[in-house]
Amino acid sequence: MTDHWRPTLLVVDDEPGMLALAGRLARDAGFEVVTHTKGREALAQLAAINADAALVDLQMPDIGGLDVLRAIREAQPGCQVILMTGHASVETAIEAVKLGALDYLTKPFDLERLQGLFTTVRKGREQREALLQVESDVGRQFEFHGMIGPSPVMQELFDSIRRFAPHVRTALITGETGTGKELVARALHKLGARRDRRFVTINCSAVVETLFESELFGHVRGAFTGATDTKIGLFEAADGGTLFLDEIGELPLPLQAKLLRAVELGEVQRVGALDARKVDVRVVAATNRDLLQQSDAGKFRSDLYYRLSIVEIRLPPLRERREDIPYLTAAFVRACATRLNKPIAGVSVPAERLLQQAEWPGNIRELRNVIERACILSDGRILNDRELLAAMPRTSPSPSPTQVASAAQQPVGSRHNLLRTVPREQIERTLREAGGNKAEAARLLGVSRRALYRWLDRLDVNH
């Protein structure tokens, strides 16, 4: 918790004397105090006040204290509400507790008890922020080349990367979309002998098929219409370094044979050239597909698969490493708060529970996007569960990005039922958020751009 931060108390009572007394006690307990004499006026200012606690009179001329309690709990679940009344009843006290009130005080109330409640609220918030700081510190301690994972499965993964990095010339990274495969590729590069040479990336789903050979191997002037200059390919650009082939499962079959030759022999031939050129490149490929299954279906060369997978590194989905979620969350909140210049310290306990229980079909990428959207929406120091729910996809249940991408490439008859469940409004909303940029929309949805185009065509979405 920063030294200058003080929690905020909202006091709502139609008696000015009570407002002055409660305000003085709260300030002595370390609170900033906001007072209102009318309940509806206070509710209208809830978002701007963003109170950590509220002291509310049960009986006011314009609205009842229980109604104010309900509204506060609905709008700001993390706000601790204390009710006070000059006409106590057991039934009302029970109802207040059921609605989530921290306590129920009778006027004239015990000042020491009220001070004790203020101290409880303040220390509870301080302890929560201290715990969030610990999670943030632990996340930093277990950060490995941009990846965070104190869990045993991730520690084992990091150990494997350390052992393989100095020696491998080819590697295949597998895992669902959004699990961080490029980070693994970069770690292999940084920890190997080629760390000072270039790390070149290409997304195999983002290049037009007719230009793919030129992109990978280059071309000479006049090789085809539009080839006005000689151009080196990515293999030559990565000579001495690492070439990362993302979404290798999208590579067209005719190019797979040429890629295999380049990987095995270290030779590339520019389009239109007569002679091959020697290159020394470490090739790291990544996919969210089952390439053995693709091979059996005749969509991926088995010899290329076995050549690339001499070392195969599997990234676990987020649902298999849920114990890492608090530390990932802390890191994403810290990064977003810094970028947005907001004093956000972390998430509330209910929000953390929500994050732990979510399915996360888009894995870490989806978690990061949800945290970022919630940080943009929030004006408080602690993200609550409602802010996170507002930042999550609104349609549920939805097919996972992997299911959608797979369905988009199956025959129409077999994918018809699945595609009927795809939330059309989610696609259109994502396209709007991306400003019509298909590559950005595909990234937000967790699918390849090619899969997104098939998806849009099948759903007759105007693009």
Side-chain angles (χ1 to χ4, degrees):
M1 186 183 69
T2 55
D3 293 337
H4 66 273
W5 176 76
R6 289 160 62 91
T8 299
L9 174 72
L10 168 64
V11 186
V12 187
D13 197 307
D14 57 347
E15 298 179 21
M18 187 58 65
L19 293 178
L21 173 61
R24 177 165 49 80
L25 292 174
R27 292 185 186 93
D28 290 343
F31 282 82
E32 297 287 348
V33 179
V34 178
T35 60
H36 280 281
T37 56
K38 296 179 181 179
R40 295 190 187 281
E41 184 181 274
L43 293 181
Q45 297 295 318
L46 271 183
I49 298 169
N50 197 24
D52 299 281
L55 183 62
V56 179
D57 188 26
L58 185 65
Q59 295 179 328
M60 291 177 288
D62 61 337
I63 186 172
L66 289 179
D67 292 327
V68 175
L69 168 60
R70 290 188 186 94
I72 291 176
R73 297 295 294 167
E74 175 71 22
Q76 296 180 348
C79 181
Q80 300 275 24
V81 181
I82 304 166
L83 284 179
M84 53 185 176
T85 180
H87 307 281
S89 70
V90 174
E91 293 79 8
T92 307
I94 292 173
E95 180 67 13
V97 173
K98 284 183 177 179
L99 291 173
L102 176 63
D103 209 338
Y104 182 88
L105 303 178
T106 303
K107 297 178 182 179
F109 41 70
D110 185 334
L111 298 185
E112 289 187 3
R113 182 178 174 186
L114 182 58
Q115 287 175 321
L117 289 172
F118 288 159
T119 300
T120 297
V121 171
R122 179 174 52 78
K123 286 189 174 180
R125 179 54 62 94
E126 289 173 352
Q127 288 170 355
R128 179 61 186 165
E129 293 208 17
L131 177 60
L132 292 170
Q133 185 61 51
V134 168
E135 290 176 345
S136 181
D137 293 342
V138 170
R140 283 192 182 100
Q141 181 181 348
F142 285 94
E143 185 171 351
F144 179 79
H145 291 273
M147 294 173 279
I148 295 174
S151 63
V153 66
M154 291 304 290
Q155 289 299 302
E156 184 177 344
L157 172 70
F158 298 161
D159 285 341
S160 296
I161 294 172
R162 289 187 190 97
R163 284 185 276 111
F164 289 140
H167 310 294
V168 296
R169 290 190 61 84
T170 60
L172 178 64
I173 306 167
T174 62
E176 295 179 7
T177 183
T179 49
K181 296 184 286 294
E182 183 169 344
L183 291 176
V184 174
R186 290 184 179 277
L188 287 170
H189 177 72
K190 287 293 184 182
L191 293 172
R194 301 168 184 260
R195 66 180 66 89
D196 295 326
R197 307 302 293 271
R198 294 190 67 184
F199 179 88
V200 179
T201 69
I202 180 172
N203 187 323
C204 297
S205 69
V207 181
V208 179
E209 186 171 334
T210 54
L211 298 178
F212 221 118
E213 187 174 0
S214 171
E215 285 291 321
L216 283 179
F217 308 122
H219 63 256
V220 298
R221 181 179 179 181
F224 50 83
T225 302
T228 56
D229 294 296
T230 295
K231 172 181 175 293
I232 68 168
L234 295 179
F235 264 90
E236 289 185 70
D239 192 15
T242 300
L243 177 61
F244 176 53
L245 300 169
D246 198 11
E247 298 195 47
I248 187 69
E250 302 279 357
L251 191 67
L253 269 173
L255 276 175
Q256 292 178 21
K258 295 182 178 181
L259 175 62
L260 176 63
R261 178 178 179 84
V263 173
E264 284 191 329
L265 303 180
E267 290 182 352
V268 296
Q269 189 167 351
R270 296 176 181 174
V271 178
L274 298 177
D275 300 321
R277 294 168 176 265
K278 280 287 186 179
V279 290
D280 176 21
V281 177
R282 168 190 274 178
V283 176
V284 180
T287 182
N288 59 6
R289 299 179 179 277
D290 184 334
L291 293 187
L292 275 179
Q293 190 178 72
Q294 294 282 100
S295 176
D296 292 339
K299 297 179 180 179
F300 199 85
R301 293 181 62 106
S302 59
D303 49 2
L304 177 58
Y305 166 74
Y306 289 116
R307 187 66 183 85
L308 292 173
S309 64
I310 293 175
V311 170
E312 184 169 344
I313 299 174
R314 175 187 176 271
L315 271 169
L318 192 54
R319 61 183 175 274
E320 292 181 9
R321 44 176 293 216
R322 292 186 182 274
E323 60 266 51
D324 290 335
I325 290 177
Y327 307 104
L328 290 164
T329 299
F332 296 152
V333 168
R334 182 176 67 243
C336 288
T338 300
R339 182 172 59 82
L340 299 171
N341 195 27
K342 288 189 172 185
I344 304 172
V347 302
S348 68
V349 173
E352 190 170 276
R353 190 179 303 118
L354 174 67
L355 295 176
Q356 286 282 359
Q357 293 172 349
E359 289 299 317
W360 302 121
N363 294 291
I364 297 171
R365 181 185 294 131
E366 183 183 2
L367 173 63
R368 184 183 63 235
N369 290 345
V370 166
I371 295 296
E372 183 172 355
R373 285 194 289 267
C375 286
I376 292 171
L377 293 171
S378 177
D379 292 319
R381 286 183 60 84
I382 303 292
L383 299 178
N384 61 51
D385 51 335
R386 295 186 187 280
E387 289 169 328
L388 287 170
L389 275 172
M392 287 180 172
R394 293 181 176 86
T395 50
S396 180
S398 300
S400 72
T402 302
Q403 289 176 307
V404 173
S406 175
Q409 300 184 53
Q410 296 171 6
V412 174
S414 65
R415 68 171 177 253
H416 176 69
N417 290 333
L418 178 59
L419 285 174
R420 282 192 308 176
T421 68
V422 173
R424 180 191 187 96
E425 64 275 13
Q426 181 180 351
I427 305 171
E428 293 175 334
R429 185 175 66 251
T430 303
L431 279 169
R432 288 196 300 271
E433 291 175 356
N437 186 314
K438 307 301 187 303
E440 175 65 11
R443 185 187 71 80
L444 291 171
L445 288 166
V447 297
S448 70
R449 189 168 64 176
R450 188 174 299 178
L452 175 62
Y453 274 104
R454 295 192 187 98
W455 201 3
L456 295 172
D457 289 338
R458 292 295 170 185
L459 292 174
D460 294 324
V461 175
N462 183 19
H463 65 285

